[in-house]
Amino acid sequence: MAAEAPPPWEPYPLPTFPEEGFTEKFLRKTRENPLVPLGCLCTVSILAYGIICFKKGNTRRSQLMMRARVIAQGFTFAALLGGMVATAVKSR
């Protein structure tokens, strides 16, 4: 006697959204996890300021800004992971 195969695993259905443009999708995603765009904005701002300091010859401030950029990127990544975990927990 052969053992019967278990029934196929059916994942939870993904939420469907009506056709939305870039702006609507961006605003929806920003409302769902507002820390990610904030982290991206901080990262870009720190990077731009670091490049300006480098161009002006202020190497000490430039190095400080590059280290701050890494911290801002880490914050952005943590916010992204936190948002994914929160969404996964909320969907259950």
Side-chain angles (χ1 to χ4, degrees):
M1 255 185 168
E4 288 186 36
W9 182 72
E10 295 186 28
Y12 294 108
L14 294 174
T16 56
F17 299 99
E19 287 295 320
E20 58 185 354
F22 174 78
T23 305
E24 292 87 11
K25 185 174 182 178
F26 178 77
L27 291 175
R28 179 175 56 83
K29 294 286 188 177
T30 300
R31 272 185 248 110
E32 289 174 5
N33 194 359
L35 294 178
V36 173
L38 180 65
C40 291
L41 184 63
C42 288
T43 301
V44 170
S45 300
I46 292 170
L47 176 64
Y49 185 62
I51 291 172
I52 290 169
C53 289
F54 181 75
K55 291 261 186 193
K56 288 182 177 180
N58 190 348
T59 56
R60 187 176 182 140
R61 175 69 49 107
S62 174
Q63 283 297 310
L64 181 66
M65 289 300 106
M66 291 305 114
R67 291 180 186 137
R69 176 192 55 86
V70 171
I71 293 169
Q73 280 179 313
F75 170 78
T76 304
F77 187 70
L80 183 65
L81 286 179
M84 288 172 45
V85 168
T87 301
V89 168
K90 186 171 69 171
S91 68
R92 289 181 176 226

